[in-house]
Amino acid sequence: MIDLSRLHPEVRIKAEVLQKLCRENRLEILITDTWRTSEEQEVLYAKGRTTPGRIVTNTSYPDNPHCWGVAFDFCRNVVGREYDNSDYFFEKVGTLGKSIGLLWGGDFKLFRDMMHFEHPQFCVENGVNNLIKAWGTPDVFRRGW
């Protein structure tokens, strides 16, 4: 499991509440991605563009909420079925996340991301322009936690 302490404290609390709600509803999730360094984000952004693979993100550093520690990704915690959605697993988890005030990537219009949540206090549909304006860089923002 990815270290939830890498998330902004308010986002970490939401992630922990979501994990609890999912357990109660027999939807076992695994948090797979939290805060990303600029290097990690650039490697992901290159996929499907300048390196082999499919495009997995639409934003480079610092425009991705993961770079600010205000987003996390998840999968089904069942080996071999991590991304199986035949039973609408991701929609069910998305509904639970939204019930506690998270933005769910499955609702995004431009780049639908079923395995993604972010905190609306910091993001507006995968946008961190308000953070960039207020803090400049993710490193300055993280020092304020």
Side-chain angles (χ1 to χ4, degrees):
M1 183 170 107
I2 296 294
D3 185 0
L4 295 183
S5 71
R6 297 178 74 185
L7 290 170
H8 183 282
E10 292 181 38
V11 182
R12 178 177 32 88
I13 290 167
K14 295 276 190 189
E16 291 168 345
V17 170
L18 178 64
Q19 287 177 315
K20 181 179 183 286
L21 283 174
C22 286
R23 276 192 304 275
E24 291 170 357
N25 285 274
R26 298 181 186 192
L27 299 166
E28 293 299 323
I29 66 168
L30 176 68
I31 305 291
T32 59
D33 203 4
T34 56
W35 174 75
R36 293 182 193 143
T37 66
S38 60
E39 295 81 13
E40 290 167 333
Q41 186 62 34
E42 292 310 306
V43 166
L44 287 177
Y45 187 72
K47 282 187 179 182
R49 293 180 177 86
T50 58
T51 62
R54 66 177 181 82
I55 291 176
V56 295
T57 183
N58 249 8
T59 53
S60 60
Y61 179 88
D63 297 322
N64 190 287
H66 286 281
C67 300
W68 297 82
V70 297
F72 61 93
D73 294 337
F74 70 97
C75 71
R76 180 189 295 255
N77 194 11
V78 178
V79 174
R81 294 188 61 208
E82 291 86 352
Y83 302 100
D84 175 10
N85 197 35
S86 62
D87 58 354
Y88 302 99
F89 176 84
F90 292 101
E91 288 86 346
K92 293 171 187 175
V93 175
T95 297
L96 290 175
K98 292 189 301 185
S99 78
I100 60 169
L102 289 168
L103 294 175
W104 177 50
D107 290 334
F108 294 172
K109 291 169 184 49
L110 297 177
F111 191 81
R112 195 163 186 232
D113 189 351
M114 305 276 286
M115 294 138 278
H116 176 87
F117 283 107
E118 52 193 53
H119 198 296
Q121 176 183 342
F122 307 108
C123 306
V124 178
E125 189 162 318
N126 210 23
V128 293
N129 291 337
N130 56 336
L131 291 173
I132 292 170
K133 286 178 188 171
W135 298 92
T137 68
D139 290 334
V140 173
F141 178 66
R142 286 176 58 83
R143 284 195 294 269
W145 297 356

